[in-house]
């Protein structure tokens, strides 16, 4: 709840520090005293737009600070602050501060940590609910009506959200599988053709290097063929150098024993014959190795061309072609398997939808039943609030399937008709601000146990009424404050003011050219005097004091 509000240099307020407590607090004062300034100041810490005109004349800056204390920080606020990187220690008050410059611009802080104004607006609904003459938030905003009805009905929204999420997930998986199968089917014919080409080609790992080596050897043999043929003619025949060496060796052998040098010459000649024989053998082997078949060379070159052309076509290396074949086979298998998987995914999606629909239909029925109960409870509150001619209805409608969501298949909106025979219309269409505030009070009383913001503020809910109606408003405000924890009411009604546990009087005073607004927390005698003033006007009479005493004693 709101525990402190500190204001510096806001319009007519120079410096003001207010302390608030639980229960019903009332703010009174003469018209024009500055009650709206307090609400404007509070609006700044709730993310309202900062106008430079709010800065007190002659000052450079203005500031507002509000402190909220909770047994436990509201879950929505805690989550939002955590996502924004703002840390609040357990048991620590939530302190929001807003600074405004006279030349425009503003800064916001949450527990002395810089925050955006958008963040203030995001957490504001959980902190303060303001119902004023032109307010379009809280119960007036139809976006929150279904949630309020669900709280009243006790709808298990968490289960509904889980079922919807499961259905959405199943539909997403089905859509993804359908897209994958469709994409694969579109390429299936081309895939089959490509695979058939590769199967016919039968590429083998390492085949390119082997064929390239064979081709290179054959090409070398082709180039060396004439040279080898010339060498062959030299070494072959009876007049070849090797034959001559052998003849010379035989002749020398017959006379080698005649002299030592002849023996050495024979030995050298024998070595020459051996070396020449080895050379001849190697030339023969080399000629055989380099021997090429033109047809075989053509076949090798054709095979290489086919393999490399296939690799270029599929943008890969020749050695990757066998793996590519396996991948293509796997893709074709996946197409067949994907079509079979679609049946299972379609069945899962149907089952998930059926489970969601069953729960959503039950929630829809519960909302219709709760709407009738709520209408009856609100109707009982209207007559005492001088709205006996008005009618209230909670409209629950079933949405088309394309608009179903995690909250179900229903939409809900609070409608009213202020005059007999008039059509029902949204709350925002009510012309009278006083009527709107009383409708909201009736709703708040009916929905009191469903919770809401930590602090509720009613701005002049008693406008245009008095007597018994004002007493009924005061009694309901006090009852609502006891249930909700903290409620503040800006009022001109003594019957409402008498119900307050805390009473603040707002006054405006002028000194020369300077006008200031002040706020005082009244004691018992101050309350008696202020209520008497509200009863009698400028001059407080003994009769007014006596009537004030009766009002205070009656609460």
């Amino acid at each position: 709840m709101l525990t402190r509000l500190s204001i510096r240099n806001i319009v007519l307020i120079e410096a003001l520090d207010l302390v608030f407590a639980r229960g019903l607090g009332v703010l009174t004062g003469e018209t024009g005293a500055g009650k709206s300034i307090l609400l404007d100041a509070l609006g700044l810490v709730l993310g309202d737009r900062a106008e430079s005109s709010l800065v007190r004349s002659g000052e450079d800056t203005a500031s507002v600070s509000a402190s909220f204390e909770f047994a436990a920080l509201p879950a929505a606020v805690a989550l939002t602050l955590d996502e924004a990187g703002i840390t609040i220690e357990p048991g620590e008050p939530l302190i929001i501060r807003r600074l405004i410059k006279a030349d425009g611009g503003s800064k916001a802080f949450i527990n002395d940590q810089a925050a955006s104004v958008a963040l203030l607006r995001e957490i504001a609904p959980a902190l303060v609910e303001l119902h004023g003459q032109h307010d379009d938030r809280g119960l007036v905003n139809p976006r929150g009506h279904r949630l309020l009805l669900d709280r009243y009905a006790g709808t298990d929204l968490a289960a509904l959200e889980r079922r919807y999420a499961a259905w959405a997930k199943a539909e997403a998986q089905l859509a993804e599988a359908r897209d994958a199968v469709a994409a694969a089917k579109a390429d299936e014919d081309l895939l089959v053709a490509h695979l058939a080409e590769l199967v016919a080609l039968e590429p083998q790992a390492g085949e390119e290097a082997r064929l390239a080596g064979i081709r290179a050897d054959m090409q070398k043999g082709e180039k060396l063929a004439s040279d080898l043929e010339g060498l062959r003619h030299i070494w072959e025949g009876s007049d070849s150098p090797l034959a001559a060496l052998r003849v010379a060796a035989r002749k020398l052998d017959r006379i080698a024993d005649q002299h030592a040098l002849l023996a050495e010459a024979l030995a050298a000649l024998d070595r020459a014959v051996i070396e020449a024989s080895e050379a001849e053998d190697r030339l023969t082997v080399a000629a055989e190795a380099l021997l090429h078949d033109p047809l075989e060379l053509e076949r090798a070159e054709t095979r290489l061309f086919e393999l490399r052309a296939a690799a270029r076509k599929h943008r890969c290396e020749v050695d990757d072609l066998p793996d590519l074949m396996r991948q293509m086979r796997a893709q074709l298998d996946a197409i067949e398997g994907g079509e079979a998987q679609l049946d299972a995914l379609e069945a899962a999606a149907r089952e998930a939808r059926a489970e969601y629909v069953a729960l959503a239909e039950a929630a829809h029925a519960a909302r219709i039943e709760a709407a009738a109960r709520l209408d009856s409870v609100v109707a009982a509150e209207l007559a005492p609030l001088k709205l006996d001619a008005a009618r209230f209805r909670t409209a629950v409608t079933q949405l088309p399937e394309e608009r179903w969501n995690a909250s179900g298949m229903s939409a809900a909106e609070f409608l009213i008709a202020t005059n007999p025979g008039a059509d029902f219309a949204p709350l925002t269409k009510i012309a009278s601000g006083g009527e709107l505030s009383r409708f909201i009070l009736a709703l708040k009383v009916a929905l009191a146990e469903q919770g809401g913001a930590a602090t509720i503020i009613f701005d002049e809910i008693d406008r245009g009424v008095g007597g018994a109606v004002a007493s009924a408003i005061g009694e309901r405000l006090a009852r609502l404050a006891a249930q909700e924890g903290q409620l503040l009411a800006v009022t001109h009604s003594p019957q409402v003011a008498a119900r307050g546990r805390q009473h603040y009087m707002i006054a405006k005073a002028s000194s020369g050219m300077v006008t200031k607004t002040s706020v005082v927390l009244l004691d018992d005698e101050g309350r008696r005097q202020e209520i008497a003033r509200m009863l009698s006007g400028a001059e407080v009479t003994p009769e007014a004091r006596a009537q004030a005493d009766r009002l205070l004693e009656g609460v």
Side-chain angles (χ1 to χ4, degrees):
M1 68 175 186
L2 176 65
T3 55
R4 291 180 178 273
L5 181 65
S6 297
I7 303 172
R8 298 291 184 272
N9 299 323
I10 296 290
V11 193
L12 299 179
I13 299 176
E14 182 177 21
L16 182 64
D17 295 289
L18 294 176
V19 177
F20 298 97
R22 297 181 66 83
L24 176 61
V26 295
L27 295 91
T28 64
E30 295 181 357
T31 301
K35 295 184 289 294
S36 63
I37 299 175
L38 282 177
L39 297 181
D40 288 342
L42 182 59
L44 288 173
V45 298
L46 300 177
D48 286 356
R49 182 178 178 181
E51 301 284 354
S52 59
S53 59
L54 291 173
V55 180
R56 181 177 169 81
S57 178
E59 300 294 336
D60 295 328
T61 60
S63 68
V64 182
S65 177
S67 179
F68 297 87
E69 295 186 13
F70 307 92
L73 200 63
V77 175
L79 178 61
T80 302
L81 294 181
D82 183 63
E83 290 176 346
I86 293 179
T87 303
I88 306 294
E89 297 296 331
E92 184 181 9
L94 177 66
I95 302 174
I96 304 175
R97 184 163 55 98
R98 186 87 177 270
L99 301 178
I100 312 169
K101 295 181 179 180
D103 58 358
S106 70
K107 293 182 180 180
F109 302 89
I110 297 178
N111 287 42
D112 291 328
Q113 300 169 73
S116 67
V117 175
L119 179 60
L120 301 189
R121 284 196 292 268
E122 192 171 352
I123 66 175
L127 302 178
V128 176
E129 188 176 314
L130 174 62
H131 301 293
Q133 298 298 307
H134 306 289
D135 188 56
D136 61 353
R137 295 168 292 185
L139 291 178
V140 179
N141 192 333
R143 287 181 295 180
H145 292 177
R146 187 203 46 74
L147 180 58
L148 288 169
L149 181 61
D150 280 334
R151 290 175 180 170
Y152 189 77
T155 306
D156 188 353
L157 288 176
L160 195 54
E161 289 172 359
R162 288 194 297 271
R163 292 286 173 84
Y164 181 79
W167 178 32
K169 181 178 180 181
E171 289 289 352
Q173 290 175 337
L174 176 59
E176 183 180 353
R178 281 174 173 162
D179 290 343
V181 169
K185 289 287 288 182
D187 297 333
E188 184 177 18
D189 291 343
L190 183 61
L191 194 62
V192 169
H194 284 170
L195 181 59
E197 290 176 357
L198 291 178
V199 169
L201 188 61
E202 292 186 303
Q204 304 295 323
E207 187 176 8
E208 181 186 27
R210 181 175 61 80
L211 288 172
I214 291 173
R215 185 185 65 169
D217 289 343
M218 288 184 177
Q219 288 173 337
K220 290 177 183 177
E222 188 176 31
K223 292 177 181 179
L224 297 174
S226 59
D227 294 333
L228 289 174
E229 182 64 21
L231 286 171
R232 186 175 66 80
H233 286 301
I234 293 174
W235 289 98
E236 289 182 355
S238 57
D239 57 346
S240 68
L242 180 58
L245 284 174
R246 286 174 176 160
V247 170
R250 284 196 296 271
K251 290 181 178 181
L252 185 58
D253 182 54
R254 287 197 293 268
I255 60 174
D257 57 350
Q258 300 301 315
H259 196 280
L261 290 175
L262 293 175
E264 291 177 4
L266 179 61
L269 191 58
D270 286 339
R271 290 195 297 272
V273 170
I274 293 171
E275 293 291 337
S277 297
E278 289 180 357
E280 182 182 34
D281 292 341
R282 282 169 172 72
L283 284 172
T284 301
V285 172
E288 292 174 353
L290 293 174
L291 182 66
H292 72 282
D293 181 353
L295 293 177
E296 182 64 25
L297 176 59
E298 183 179 355
R299 284 194 293 269
E301 289 181 334
T302 300
R303 179 67 174 172
L304 271 175
F305 174 80
E306 290 174 345
L307 290 171
R308 288 172 177 174
R312 284 194 301 272
K313 181 176 182 178
H314 296 288
R315 298 180 181 179
C316 66
E317 299 296 328
V318 171
D319 284 345
D320 295 333
L321 290 175
D323 287 337
L324 182 61
M325 289 174 60
R326 286 189 287 272
Q327 291 173 15
M328 289 180 176
R329 289 193 182 98
Q331 285 178 272
L332 289 171
D333 292 342
I335 292 174
E336 295 179 2
E339 291 176 335
Q341 185 187 24
L342 281 182
D343 295 336
L345 290 174
E346 287 171 351
R350 285 195 300 270
E351 182 180 355
R353 181 187 183 280
E355 291 177 351
Y356 166 79
V357 169
L359 201 60
E361 287 177 342
H364 181 67
R367 286 164 181 160
I368 293 174
E369 187 275 332
R373 286 190 288 112
L374 179 61
D375 293 351
S376 177
V377 174
V378 173
E381 294 290 332
L382 296 180
L385 297 175
K386 202 179 178 180
L387 294 169
D388 45 316
R391 293 166 296 150
F392 174 85
R393 185 174 73 189
T394 305
V396 179
T397 56
Q398 185 165 338
L399 299 170
E401 183 167 345
E402 62 268 17
R403 292 181 59 193
W404 292 357
N405 53 53
S407 299
M409 55 176 63
S410 309
E413 185 175 7
F414 300 143
L415 304 175
I416 57 174
T418 55
N419 299 304
D423 292 333
F424 281 93
L427 291 175
T428 52
K429 302 299 182 181
I430 294 300
S432 166
E435 284 182 333
L436 178 58
S437 294
R438 280 178 277 145
F439 261 112
I440 290 173
L441 177 59
L443 263 173
K444 289 300 296 184
V445 171
L447 297 168
E449 295 182 358
Q450 312 316 314
T455 299
I456 301 172
I457 299 175
F458 280 96
D459 181 16
E460 299 188 8
I461 190 175
D462 47 31
R463 179 185 292 268
V465 300
V469 177
S471 294
I473 291 174
E475 185 274 329
R476 281 158 176 75
L477 288 174
R479 189 191 339 154
L480 186 59
Q483 293 173 306
E484 295 287 349
Q486 186 183 53
L487 191 150
L488 301 175
V490 177
T491 180
H492 289 288
S493 169
Q495 291 88 345
V496 173
R499 291 281 182 172
R501 291 183 59 184
Q502 289 183 305
H503 191 149
Y504 302 87
M505 187 181 72
I506 305 172
K508 182 168 63 175
S510 297
S511 176
M513 299 297 291
V514 179
T515 301
K516 296 181 181 181
T517 290
S518 62
V519 182
V520 178
L521 177 61
L522 301 177
D523 56 16
D524 291 344
E525 179 56 31
R527 291 187 66 197
R528 175 173 175 267
Q529 188 72 10
E530 172 63 4
I531 292 174
R533 181 200 65 77
M534 296 172 73
L535 287 165
S536 63
E539 183 179 349
V540 178
T541 64
E543 292 79 5
R545 291 190 178 91
Q547 179 64 18
D549 288 338
R550 285 192 290 272
L551 286 175
L552 290 169
E553 290 170 0
V555 298

